[in-house]
Amino acid sequence: MHRTNLTAANDSASWVGLSLELQRATEPGLRPEAANGNQIVLSQGPHVVLSARIDDDRGGVAYSRTDHYRSPIAPLRATEVRAVSERGQPSWYTRWAHRFADALEASPIGPLHEGRWVLSRRLAREGMARTGDGPARPWRSLLLDEHPDGSIDWFTGSWRVVPLRRMPTPGEGRVKAYRKQAREGILPPALLWWFSGLNCYVVLDGHARLVAALAENREPAVLVLSRAPSGEQTRTGTDRALSAYHLTMSVLDGPHPVTDRQGAARDASRLLATQLHHLAVDYAPTRAWPMPAAHRPGLGTPRV
């Protein structure tokens, strides 16, 4: 796996994500499957962990979870957590991103397959560009913790967070340990995965850490795994951004006077940097595989 640290568009010292590029062709252990244009299954090895059906009017999706999901991340040891200091700083997120990347690369039950991925702080939702810096209140409405069944209204409920297993209670032993870490300011981030089939995030790892942060009225820190735009999409977007930039500069360098040419040129350069940055970190659609007959409703018994 080739890794590249990504920095902010206009601040090379600010870490925003980790680019992961996998060359080998492999079918992931955690794998979305689709059929008939409206049926979705999330399988992990031989088991179904989530099944969903998109509404006929394409206005939302109903889903049901099983109790078979297993995290691809091994439990985090307390000594390891305490060794990663400076919570909330870019270096703290960077270290946890590399830790999660190591685990995902080695795991046979994770979602990685060939192509480019990004692990970032970016929770793509209006008004919530980054996480881990505020109180818990905005997060309470994001978490869809009904179990086992739930639904998402895409007109009002997109970009929310779907656990892949039953959420623990605030009083459970492991949650109590995480609550202590939250009070000390060292609670590790949860790991989310952008799942475009649901138009929401799913929780890959950190169900108990999310509960602990909310129980202590702290906004959870998260890292988001997402597929990145393909090389062809990136090249096309880059060409368009450069063409627009060159056109702007040609106008500024033309025979007609321009008010505050220096400021306009600076704005054009910042816009170009922002557009190129978005091409590196934007979410791409989640890849899906054909659904086996055994997973299709009415065609067999799901392997659960």
Side-chain angles (χ1 to χ4, degrees):
M1 179 194 294
H2 178 71
R3 305 181 192 182
T4 305
N5 285 310
L6 303 173
T7 57
N10 297 296
D11 182 2
S12 60
S14 179
W15 184 92
V16 296
L18 181 65
S19 174
L20 315 174
E21 189 165 356
L22 285 77
Q23 300 292 340
R24 70 183 187 278
T26 180
E27 185 172 297
L30 185 64
R31 169 181 80 255
E33 299 167 352
N36 301 330
N38 67 344
Q39 296 174 10
I40 301 171
V41 159
L42 185 60
S43 296
Q44 190 173 46
H47 302 294
V48 170
V49 298
L50 179 146
S51 60
R53 184 180 181 88
I54 299 173
D55 297 342
D56 292 338
D57 63 1
R58 297 300 190 264
V61 60
Y63 60 87
S64 180
R65 287 165 292 204
T66 68
D67 292 320
H68 291 285
Y69 177 71
R70 292 183 295 152
S71 171
I73 311 296
L76 305 178
R77 299 185 301 274
T79 53
E80 179 182 15
V81 171
R82 295 185 183 282
V84 184
S85 58
E86 298 181 341
R87 183 195 186 280
Q89 298 301 313
S91 60
W92 184 82
Y93 281 97
T94 304
R95 292 180 67 176
W96 281 115
H98 280 279
R99 166 67 172 80
F100 289 152
D102 288 340
L104 290 170
E105 183 180 18
S107 175
I109 57 172
L112 294 184
H113 55 77
E114 72 278 2
R116 196 169 70 84
W117 298 73
V118 174
L119 266 171
S120 74
R121 289 184 64 184
R122 180 171 176 262
L123 193 65
R125 184 175 186 270
E126 184 178 356
M128 295 189 69
R130 288 187 174 185
T131 66
D133 301 320
R137 182 177 179 181
W139 253 84
R140 298 187 191 282
S141 62
L142 288 183
L143 197 60
L144 299 172
D145 58 354
E146 305 92 343
H147 189 85
D149 303 325
S151 63
I152 303 165
D153 184 334
W154 284 337
F155 291 102
T156 61
S158 295
W159 306 100
R160 297 175 75 179
V161 177
V162 180
L164 287 179
R165 60 187 176 209
R166 187 188 302 274
M167 297 293 279
T169 65
E172 291 185 22
R174 56 179 175 154
V175 178
K176 288 182 178 179
Y178 283 137
R179 292 180 68 171
K180 184 175 185 295
Q181 293 179 3
R183 291 192 296 270
E184 295 176 8
I186 60 173
L187 182 66
L191 178 61
L192 309 183
W193 175 26
W194 171 246
F195 191 170
S196 63
L198 298 180
N199 205 34
C200 284
Y201 303 92
V202 297
V203 183
L204 285 181
D205 184 71
H207 294 73
R209 297 196 295 278
L210 288 175
V211 172
L214 296 178
E216 294 298 321
N217 195 33
R218 286 167 168 80
E219 182 187 6
V222 302
L223 283 167
V224 177
L225 177 71
S226 63
R227 285 190 69 204
S230 67
E232 180 179 354
Q233 291 171 321
T234 300
R235 287 189 293 272
T236 300
T238 299
D239 290 343
R240 288 176 179 171
L242 289 172
S243 295
Y245 173 77
H246 291 315
L247 178 60
T248 299
M249 296 307 295
S250 67
V251 171
L252 295 179
D253 292 334
H256 303 289
V258 177
T259 302
D260 190 15
R261 182 198 177 283
Q262 184 176 1
R266 184 171 57 250
D267 290 343
S269 296
R270 287 176 175 172
L271 176 60
L272 175 62
T274 298
Q275 290 173 328
L276 296 179
H277 174 72
H278 284 169
L279 289 171
V281 301
D282 273 355
Y283 298 166
T286 308
R287 179 179 174 182
W289 278 255
M291 187 184 300
H295 291 181
R296 302 184 187 189
L299 296 180
T301 302
R303 291 174 294 174
V304 300

